Amino acid sequence: MGKPGRMPKKKCCQDKPRCKRCPLRALAEGTLPPGYTVKKRRLVKLDKADKVLAKSTRKAA
């Protein structure tokens, strides 16, 4: 049996070519784990995607 795949990184490092664990690459290849998506180069759970986006768009003072 083959070795199970690793989870993608939490954040894309923006390297070119894309690294093996890049969340953008996993999204394009269709290998993201169930219940996950990519928003603004970050790996997020589907049920918390809107909260993460709202939080990350605020600027730190």
Side-chain angles (χ1 to χ4, degrees), residues 7-53:
M7 282 284 288
K9 293 179 182 180
K10 292 185 183 218
K11 185 178 177 185
C12 174
C13 57
Q14 301 180 10
D15 282 346
K16 294 269 184 166
R18 301 274 183 233
C19 64
K20 300 277 186 204
R21 292 182 52 217
C22 181
L24 293 175
R25 181 177 182 166
L27 180 67
E29 293 174 350
T31 58
L32 276 178
Y36 285 88
T37 188
V38 178
K39 299 285 183 178
K40 295 198 175 186
R41 297 185 178 269
R42 294 181 185 267
L43 183 70
V44 294
K45 288 191 175 185
L46 282 173
D47 58 339
K48 297 182 180 182
D50 295 331
K51 293 177 187 176
V52 171
L53 283 178

